[in-house]
Amino acid sequence: MNSPLRHSPAPDVLSRFAAIVGDKYAITDANDLAPHLIEGRGLYHGRTAMMLRPGSTAEVAAILKLANETRTAIVPQGGNTGLVGGQIPFDGELILSLQRLDKIREVDAQSNTMTCEAGVVLQKAQEAAAAVDRLFPLSLGSEGSCTIGGNLSSNAGGTGALAYGIARELMVGVEVVLADGRVMNLLRKLKKDNTGYDLRHLFVGAEGTLGIITAAVLKLFPRPRAIETAWLGVPSPEAAVKLLNLAQSQLAGTVTGFELMVRGIVEFALKHGHNVRDPLSSPHPWYVLMEVSSQQAEGLRDNVEEFLGNAIEQELVSDATLAANLDQANSFWHMRHTLTEVQKPEGGSIKHDVSVPVAAIPAFLAEASDAVVKLIPGSRPVPFGHLGDGNIHYNVSQPIGADKDAFLARWKDVNAVVDKIVLQHHGSISAEHGIGKLKRDSLPKVKDPVALSLMRDIKGLLDPNGILNPGKVL
Ligand code: FAD
Ligand code: MLT
Ligand code: ZN
């Protein structure tokens, strides 16, 4: 029988791990560990005896081989921006930080690919693509600190998914270290490669439970020659859905962003955000941030202006401002990307990252708000998100003046009410953030039982000793 999994290894085992990376990169100092044990919103706290910072795939392989032999539990961590607690060692597991694997191995503009190590920060990858006149379109509010390995492991979505796809669709090849230390090299640049089972995608969205991603080949796109960014006041989510459909069918360019926000969350941003101002002169119940891109340098602005004129006539848009320059466009996106942060000063916030078919968004929003406010009178739903992907961050802030802990104690009650409505609309309780620790108990309630059983079989096959991110996902 296998010996039990060790969450807090003995000193002699710790020394063997430290010897692989060298003492400098085997972190044990409490101050150095602290930022890696808590996630940004302060929702999850963990503990560990050591964080390992390998500098190569070979070192990652040696760490996993030893972890497997000694049954030592490991939690992989990239930029620590995940929102479901997947990257936190809740029970003394060792942290395996991928941040030192930060080389961009190759940018191949002709093949439209880029080979990045797992610890490359997303923004650096975007910049490297731009330097050769290409676009790497994954875009998240956390892009200044999240990493390619974390993006793939959480199968991140973000604001560009509408036009370019989620992280899974942006990955062409991958290098993975398996739980027993073997390295699987699928770092191909090929769109077409039908040589048996396609194993690459098993590791995307696996949240570090099946293997450690050490590098990936990513897909690049031509850089748009013209981009127009509009901030729109809209009367309702119904109008926003119609507007999206109209834009996708009528505009000469491609709709590359379509974000919905309720007035309440914009008010939080205006109150608590840095350098945030209302782009419109009067308030509107809902807002859309729309971005349209074109490969034609000329003509897009006229086209978008004409489109917005029609949309106002059809009462789908109440007021509109089209960014006059890049700074203004950036200020619209800054407002959008600050929405995670500005909920904090309003007290407790109960989160949902859900998706429903796009057409069902208006009904979902209306039903969820009714049910939540009935459950906790005075609570303040502040939904926002990626309308074009049917993905809403249905977050609920506490009633003004309420006790934060008492409100947060209702987390599961509120989830139950919202998730029920999501399921009635044939949606998903985790659209883009993953399962991690946060939704682990909910997964068996929503996943097809055959699929769940296959997932457990795959986990057993790839990680028979359960060393990789135990207690997450399954
Ligand atoms: P981490 O948080 O370090 O880890 C995430 C998960 O992946 C964990 O389970 C971890 O164990 C695992 N992991 C990390 N690296 C590896 C690896 N190399 N191999 C195997 N497993 C690994 N997410 C979205 O999808 N869309 C958004 O729009 C979005 N916006 C955000 C905005 C803000 C302000 C913040 C704070 C977060 C946002 N996120 C969003 C969530 C988060 O940024 C993403 O999930 C991101 O992809 C995580 O990357 P990371 O490097 O920080 O990973
Ligand atoms: C976003 O779209 O801003 C994020 O996914 C972050 C969040 O849900 O807070
Ligand atoms: Zn999001």
Side-chain angles (χ1 to χ4, degrees):
M1 204 181 92
N2 289 344
S3 47
L5 191 62
R6 279 196 251 199
H7 286 259
S8 303
D12 61 313
V13 177
L14 286 178
S15 304
R16 290 170 69 193
F17 279 110
I20 295 170
V21 291
D23 286 343
K24 183 174 170 200
Y25 296 116
I27 314 298
T28 53
D29 179 83
N31 290 328
D32 295 337
L33 288 174
H36 298 272
L37 296 172
I38 181 166
E39 62 88 67
R41 297 164 306 173
L43 284 180
Y44 312 108
H45 299 80
R47 63 184 177 83
T48 190
M50 186 178 275
M51 176 171 74
L52 297 159
R53 304 187 73 230
S56 66
T57 300
E59 286 185 4
V60 175
I63 290 168
L64 288 204
K65 189 164 183 290
L66 179 60
N68 206 35
E69 278 166 19
T70 56
R71 310 282 188 265
T72 303
I74 297 282
V75 175
Q77 192 178 91
N80 188 16
T81 67
L83 297 172
V84 290
Q87 71 282 15
I88 302 294
F90 286 92
D91 210 11
E93 303 92 321
L94 301 190
I95 299 178
L96 174 58
S97 166
L98 280 304
Q99 283 180 319
R100 284 183 64 225
L101 295 186
D102 62 355
K103 282 182 215 60
I104 296 177
R105 292 186 189 166
E106 189 197 28
V107 185
D108 180 348
Q110 294 293 308
S111 307
N112 276 310
T113 61
M114 170 168 67
T115 307
C116 289
E117 293 186 347
V120 170
V121 169
L122 173 54
Q123 197 174 326
K124 296 270 176 225
Q126 295 165 344
E127 287 165 3
V132 294
D133 200 25
R134 294 290 182 272
L135 174 75
F136 181 58
L138 189 67
S139 178
L140 317 179
S142 53
E143 63 201 23
S145 43
C146 65
T147 62
I148 294 300
N151 298 151
L152 292 171
S153 300
S154 60
N155 191 17
T159 55
L162 172 65
Y164 300 103
I166 53 179
R168 180 186 303 288
E169 292 155 276
L170 300 174
M171 187 195 81
V172 188
V174 72
E175 178 185 85
V176 179
V177 179
L178 301 179
D180 59 10
R182 282 179 297 163
V183 179
M184 184 174 75
N185 186 334
L186 296 175
L187 282 177
R188 310 271 192 309
K189 300 180 189 174
L190 308 173
K191 183 174 184 176
K192 295 191 168 179
D193 178 16
N194 280 347
T195 49
Y197 305 144
D198 190 344
L199 300 174
R200 295 168 304 170
H201 292 292
L202 268 183
F203 302 91
V204 180
E207 301 179 54
T209 61
L210 297 181
I212 306 296
I213 295 177
T214 44
V217 182
L218 305 171
K219 198 188 276 184
L220 302 181
F221 293 79
R223 220 144 69 94
R225 298 296 159 212
I227 297 181
E228 295 296 339
T229 311
W231 183 271
L232 312 172
V234 296
S236 63
E238 285 84 353
V241 170
K242 283 187 188 150
L243 183 72
L244 170 66
N245 279 279
L246 204 65
Q248 284 175 322
S249 64
Q250 286 188 2
L251 275 170
T254 307
V255 182
T256 45
F258 203 92
E259 300 286 311
L260 180 72
M261 290 151 271
V262 74
R263 172 71 191 171
I265 191 81
V266 169
E267 275 171 11
F268 288 3
L270 294 171
K271 204 157 130 198
H272 306 296
H274 295 289
N275 294 325
V276 174
R277 60 168 206 88
D278 198 335
L280 297 175
S281 52
S282 57
H284 298 271
W286 295 88
Y287 296 92
V288 164
L289 172 53
M290 182 174 83
E291 184 191 82
V292 186
S293 306
S294 170
Q295 293 313 121
Q296 307 293 324
E298 305 295 330
L300 183 65
R301 193 169 181 89
D302 290 348
N303 191 263
V304 173
E305 276 173 354
E306 193 186 325
F307 170 79
L308 289 176
N310 292 339
I312 289 172
E313 238 169 64
Q314 294 179 41
E315 297 182 352
L316 299 179
V317 171
S318 317
D319 197 4
T321 177
L322 199 52
N325 50 43
L326 190 60
D327 279 352
Q328 209 179 0
N330 287 342
S331 77
F332 296 171
W333 280 111
H334 171 64
M335 163 89 94
R336 168 61 186 87
H337 285 317
T338 205
L339 300 184
T340 305
E341 199 56 32
V342 296
Q343 293 164 68
K344 255 194 252 173
E346 292 288 330
S349 166
I350 297 179
K351 314 282 183 190
H352 308 85
D353 160 42
V354 302
S355 58
V356 294
V358 173
I361 283 184
F364 161 72
L365 287 170
E367 291 162 27
S369 294
D370 276 358
V372 165
V373 174
K374 202 175 280 169
L375 183 72
I376 306 184
S379 61
R380 295 170 293 161
V382 283
F384 65 96
H386 320 287
L387 177 100
D389 307 320
N391 177 191
I392 298 292
H393 300 303
Y394 193 85
N395 296 342
V396 184
S397 281
Q398 68 173 64
I400 294 168
D403 179 70
K404 181 177 172 183
D405 291 338
F407 176 72
L408 290 178
R410 308 290 307 275
W411 189 292
K412 288 203 165 145
D413 302 339
V414 179
N415 282 178
V417 160
V418 173
D419 291 352
K420 189 172 162 205
I421 299 168
V422 168
L423 297 178
Q424 280 164 357
H425 287 288
H426 309 289
S428 168
I429 64 159
S430 176
E432 61 171 4
H433 296 161
I435 297 295
K437 168 101 164 162
L438 181 69
K439 296 181 184 173
R440 182 191 175 211
D441 294 342
S442 304
L443 187 63
K445 296 178 206 153
V446 298
K447 198 81 185 171
D448 171 80
V450 178
L452 192 63
S453 151
L454 264 181
M455 281 169 67
R456 292 199 172 110
D457 290 348
I458 291 168
K459 171 73 177 170
L461 180 73
L462 289 178
D463 182 20
N465 294 319
I467 60 161
L468 289 173
N469 222 351
K472 313 290 169 52
V473 186
L474 291 173

